């Protein structure tokens, strides 16, 4: 009932309030499925958890709806629009959406995942496709391809996006409210940390990043705009994000300034009373009661 209040800004900052959902391999692999599913079956189980703009909540449907908007405004399928307006101008020649195109390219990796019984499963690049999930990052690429995207973030390309919008992408748009004051933010489809911790301490430097996973594959890109350093990691197995390697690279090659004193974010008990009350979640847990006591907050979910 709140769809009329959702804007493109809400979609790209994950503040629409929409429940998260993704399907990696629907039966229909045609380009039209993005539109037909969004305007059809999707509405039977999607719901808005909170009013648009109230909170940050990562939800893949935000990207799918934004992708459908690209189709409706531009008059071309999402994957065609991305090829013509982003991949081709940036020279990302081996970045594509169709598994068949990856197989035809001939230089690709199989993914290692598990089946429903937790048995090892090797996933071929053309084992699944999801036109509906493509706008959520469901693309094949290479490290070198993504390395062509990084200079776009740093220096821009007016043929792809005006500089003001490119800068806004990697500027804080909404506080993620994860308990770190105003450090952890989301831009437009990018995480933007105003500061971050490494093994050697706290660095008061902006870090722009995003990662993603589909069965058998993992991907990450981290960027330090102030020094134009980036590290890109692609892996062909579940959850392989190579965190230690990323930390080492940032510490030794990103030209970071020396660590500084980390900010503190003390919890203020004076705010507890404002959270007390009775809540209702019709889709998951039912009744929720939050009470403020001398020892802090208590949360009760009696319907569970």
């Amino acid at each position: 009932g709140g769809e009329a209040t959702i804007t493109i800004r809400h979609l790209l900052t994950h503040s629409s309030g929409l429940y998260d959902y993704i399907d990696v391999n629907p039966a229909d692999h045609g380009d039209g499925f993005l539109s037909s599913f969004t305007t059809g079956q999707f509405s039977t189980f999607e719901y808005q958890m909170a009013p648009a703009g109230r909170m940050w909540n990562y939800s893949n449907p935000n990207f799918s709806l934004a992708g459908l908007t690209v189709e409706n405004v531009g008059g071309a399928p999402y994957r065609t629009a991305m090829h013509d307006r982003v991949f081709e101008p940036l020279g990302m020649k081996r970045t594509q959406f169709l598994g068949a195109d990856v197989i035809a390219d001939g230089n690709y990796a199989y993914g290692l995942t598990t089946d429903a019984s937790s048995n090892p499963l090797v996933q071929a690049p053309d084992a699944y496709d999801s036109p509906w999930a493509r706008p959520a990052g469901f693309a094949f690429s290479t490290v070198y391809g993504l390395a062509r995207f990084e200079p776009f973030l740093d220096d821009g390309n007016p043929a792809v996006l005006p500089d003001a919008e490119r800068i806004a992408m990697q500027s804080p748009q909404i506080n993620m409210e994860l308990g770190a004051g105003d450090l952890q933010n989301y831009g437009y489809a990018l995480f933007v940390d105003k500061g971050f911790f490494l093994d050697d301490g706290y660095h008061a430097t902006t870090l722009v990043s995003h990662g993603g996973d589909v069965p058998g594959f993992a991907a990450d890109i981290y960027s330090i705009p102030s020094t134009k350093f980036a590290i890109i990691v692609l892996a062909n197995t579940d959850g392989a994000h190579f965190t230690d390697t990323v930390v080492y690279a940032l510490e030794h090659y990103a030209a970071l300034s020396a660590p500084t004193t980390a900010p503190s974010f003390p919890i203020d008990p004076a705010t507890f009373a404002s959270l007390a009350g009775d809540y209702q979640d019709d889709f998951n847990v039912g009744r929720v009661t939050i009470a403020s006591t001398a020892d802090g907050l208590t949360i009760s979910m009696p319907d569970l």
Side-chain angles (χ1 to χ4, degrees):
E3 62 271 10
T5 66
I6 297 174
T7 66
I8 300 298
R9 175 183 171 85
H10 291 138
L11 298 176
L12 294 181
T13 58
H14 289 287
S15 59
S16 68
L18 291 175
Y19 167 75
D20 191 18
Y21 165 86
I22 195 166
D23 185 348
V24 299
N25 198 22
D28 187 346
H29 292 170
D31 288 332
F33 185 69
L34 173 57
S35 176
S36 64
F37 181 79
T38 304
T39 58
Q41 183 185 354
F42 178 63
S43 64
T44 64
F45 56 81
E46 180 57 81
Y47 62 94
Q48 198 174 17
M49 300 182 296
R54 165 58 189 87
M55 65 178 186
W56 179 87
N57 176 73
Y58 197 95
S59 179
N60 286 285
N62 289 311
F63 287 139
S64 295
L65 290 170
L68 180 59
T69 304
V70 169
E71 291 193 346
N72 290 340
V73 173
Y78 175 78
R79 65 183 180 91
T80 302
M82 287 297 294
H83 174 271
D84 294 348
R85 299 182 61 178
V86 180
F87 301 154
E88 188 68 23
L90 295 182
M92 301 171 66
K93 298 185 182 301
R94 298 182 62 225
T95 301
Q96 48 213 352
F97 286 100
L98 299 183
D101 290 343
V102 175
I103 298 296
D105 177 273
N107 184 2
Y108 55 86
Y110 285 81
L112 180 61
T113 183
T114 56
D115 62 19
S117 301
S118 299
N119 298 311
L121 175 66
V122 176
Q123 199 81 295
D126 61 348
Y128 47 78
D129 185 17
S130 181
W132 191 80
R134 285 173 191 160
F138 210 88
F140 298 88
S141 191
T142 67
V143 168
Y144 293 114
L146 290 173
R148 289 183 175 272
F149 185 74
E150 177 59 33
F152 159 71
L153 290 179
D154 287 338
D155 304 321
N157 184 327
V160 177
L161 198 68
D163 281 343
E165 295 178 18
R166 171 185 59 86
I167 293 169
M169 282 176 61
Q170 44 200 316
S171 301
Q173 300 296 335
I174 184 170
N175 190 325
M176 292 163 59
E177 299 185 274
L178 298 180
D182 67 346
L183 288 187
Q184 294 175 297
N185 298 271
Y186 202 76
Y188 292 120
L190 289 168
F191 292 95
V192 183
D193 295 332
K194 293 182 179 179
F196 55 94
F197 292 88
L198 297 176
D199 291 340
D200 61 355
Y202 173 76
H203 293 268
T205 303
T206 297
L207 174 68
V208 176
S209 66
H210 216 295
D213 298 83
V214 293
F217 300 92
D220 292 281
I221 181 169
Y222 293 87
S223 172
I224 304 291
S226 60
T227 64
K228 295 190 177 182
F229 169 86
I231 179 170
I232 298 159
V233 180
L234 301 181
N236 60 327
T237 192
D238 292 339
H241 293 284
F242 293 95
T243 306
D244 292 344
T245 300
V246 171
V247 168
Y248 185 91
L250 288 170
E251 289 180 345
H252 291 83
Y253 303 114
L256 299 175
S257 56
T260 60
T261 302
S264 61
F265 307 105
I267 297 171
D268 182 5
T271 63
F272 289 178
S274 66
L275 302 174
D278 295 316
Y279 302 85
Q280 179 70 27
D281 176 4
D282 292 330
F283 297 94
N284 292 291
V285 300
R287 291 173 294 162
V288 180
T289 298
I290 300 179
S292 180
T293 71
D295 296 323
L297 288 174
T298 62
I299 302 176
S300 171
M301 303 179 187
D303 295 336
L304 289 181

